Amino acid sequence: MPKAKITALGCYVPTGVLTNYDLEKMVETSNDWILERTGIAERHIAPQDVATSDMAVEASRALLAQRGIEADTIDAVIVCTVTPDMLFPATACLVQDRIGARGAWGFDLVAACSGFIFGLTTAAHLVSGGSHKRVLVVGADTMSRIIDYKDRATCILFGDAAGAMLVEPSEDGEETGFIGFLNEIDGSGGDYLKMPAGGSRIPASRETVDQRLHYVHQDGQQVFRYAVKKMYEVCRTLLDRHNLKVEDIAVMVPHQANRRIITAVAERLGMPCDRVLININRYGNTTAATIPLATRDAIAQGKLKKGDLVLFAAVGAGFTVGANLWRWSY
Ligand code: UT7
């Protein structure tokens, strides 16, 4: 029986847009190449004075307004991000203070593109364990701050955004809510996608800046292959574990890293395209924010309604891999 359910969702997307045509003027690339290889047409970029906590606060406020509750009723704030305002204090502390979640505890969760799914999994367990009534999960990333706009292999991929979901206890006898998860980490893949400098291994110095080590470095093909294989595997195993068939799933909401990754996974699963939410064309890869943004669009398009089964899935730097099954609650 479900014991935790998602009761509200809020998103924030900065208004500034960076199109493929803009990128054509910055690096040697083309709209056709980007569209064909990734499915991305444009991504949103935050202004210089907007940081991750600012977008996280906006998404959280939208969620609070939708649910019609005060922030001081929240028990915990989990901010999933790889682009915190600072290494410390945690962005969760900044968000907690700004929204007025007095009395809440919380933390930042670093799982890159799987961050939101790891956050939802954690929230579901905090709530179903009985110790928490309201857990706010925010996925927020200002990827434009760690992207090298001279590297055509990465700068075309990412965008900025934030999304939040609220997890609360299910009513007695209620059939909707959290069903299960399958999350994994595999640190052997850590070198394929990382920001090398700025931590205790390679602290910031003039040399690290000169060598452009404070930006995202990626072996795209390795990540691509791993993402297709593992996203398929966790989805298949999670469905089997709960005796569910692909036909039972109303909509799959995958992390948006590359349209070709999503369609390859859907094809392997036997999931028809019209039941897979893809919005990468408008936002690019917003890292921890893709799942709430895509869920919002699934609801808006009528693909996700109360009582429907939804499958969330992601693969990210680490490597991190996650899948969640929920029966949607509102
Ligand atoms: O959320 C997890 C994070 N990341 C991912 O999931 C990303 C996974 N990987 C990918 O999405 C793809 O690997 C990329 C989109 C990054 C790259 O696509 P690809 O089809 O794997 O391209 P490639 O790296 O094999 O490069 C093919 C060619 C190369 O040229 P040569 O060596 O064949 O002459 C690249 O230099 O395409 C070139 N290339 C570009 N050409 C035009 C790479 N980036 C660009 C570009 N525009 N932006």
Side-chain angles (χ1 to χ4, degrees):
M1 285 293 269
K3 290 182 179 163
K5 61 179 178 178
I6 295 164
T7 57
L9 186 161
C11 292
Y12 176 77
V13 180
T15 50
V17 170
L18 182 69
T19 67
N20 291 348
Y21 298 106
D22 297 326
L23 285 162
E24 282 182 354
K25 296 178 201 133
M26 297 159 66
V27 287
E28 198 180 327
T29 190
S30 68
N31 175 56
D32 288 351
W33 192 96
I34 301 171
L35 265 184
E36 191 194 312
R37 306 307 294 167
T38 72
I40 302 168
E42 58 186 36
R43 64 293 284 144
H44 291 248
I45 303 292
Q48 278 305 316
D49 60 348
V50 169
T52 294
S53 70
D54 301 318
M55 297 196 299
V57 164
E58 292 299 329
S60 302
R61 286 186 178 144
L63 173 151
L64 291 167
Q66 185 195 319
R67 185 76 178 98
I69 58 165
E70 297 298 327
D72 59 7
T73 63
I74 290 171
D75 298 316
V77 178
I78 303 173
V79 176
C80 315
T81 186
V82 292
T83 51
D85 288 28
M86 298 163 264
L87 273 179
F88 70 90
T91 302
C93 300
L94 308 177
V95 173
Q96 174 271 336
D97 180 48
R98 292 260 304 280
I99 63 173
R102 284 171 292 276
W105 73 292
F107 52 90
D108 286 5
L109 193 160
V110 185
C113 301
S114 309
F116 200 82
I117 290 179
F118 284 18
L120 276 184
T121 308
T122 308
H125 286 85
L126 289 175
V127 168
S128 58
S131 56
H132 291 65
K133 293 271 185 249
R134 284 184 172 148
V135 179
L136 175 66
V137 183
V138 190
D141 272 301
T142 322
M143 294 304 291
S144 60
R145 298 301 137 74
I146 60 166
I147 292 301
D148 184 351
Y149 285 97
K150 287 187 169 22
D151 175 12
R152 69 176 182 175
T154 52
C155 74
I156 57 158
L157 298 172
F158 295 95
D160 303 334
M165 292 189 196
L166 187 68
V167 180
E168 299 187 65
S170 306
E171 315 291 328
D172 281 346
E174 190 174 345
E175 295 293 332
T176 68
F178 184 62
I179 293 172
F181 75 102
L182 179 49
N183 298 342
E184 295 177 8
I185 59 173
D186 177 3
S188 70
D191 272 341
Y192 295 128
L193 180 50
K194 63 181 178 185
M195 189 177 104
S200 59
R201 178 68 62 194
I202 310 176
S205 68
R206 194 179 299 272
E207 288 72 35
T208 61
V209 173
D210 288 345
Q211 291 164 24
R212 311 185 81 74
L213 297 179
H214 297 272
Y215 293 123
V216 170
H217 290 245
Q218 173 172 249
D219 182 332
Q221 286 194 8
Q222 291 284 357
V223 178
F224 190 102
R225 275 197 289 272
Y226 187 85
V228 173
K229 179 171 170 286
K230 289 304 290 191
M231 210 191 285
Y232 164 74
E233 275 177 24
V234 289
C235 290
R236 184 72 272 161
T237 307
L238 185 59
L239 290 173
D240 290 348
R241 191 181 281 177
H242 293 276
N243 294 317
L244 289 165
K245 294 193 281 298
V246 165
E247 302 85 80
D248 298 322
I249 303 299
V251 65
M252 176 179 177
V253 177
H255 170 57
Q256 312 281 313
N258 186 316
R259 173 184 270 275
R260 290 186 295 131
I261 293 176
I262 297 171
T263 52
V265 172
E267 202 171 296
R268 283 193 194 185
L269 283 170
M271 179 83 73
C273 284
D274 61 341
R275 285 197 278 131
V276 182
L277 203 292
I278 301 182
N279 65 1
I280 192 171
N281 52 320
R282 284 160 38 224
Y283 304 112
N285 181 351
T286 56
T287 304
T290 60
I291 299 281
L293 248 53
T295 306
R296 177 197 63 178
D297 286 359
I299 294 168
Q301 292 170 21
K303 291 183 172 175
L304 179 58
K305 298 181 288 299
K306 184 172 181 176
D308 283 346
L309 272 177
V310 55
L311 172 64
F312 298 125
V315 171
F319 287 123
T320 57
V321 188
N324 264 201
L325 272 169
W326 294 74
R327 195 171 285 283
W328 199 247
S329 301
Y330 69 91

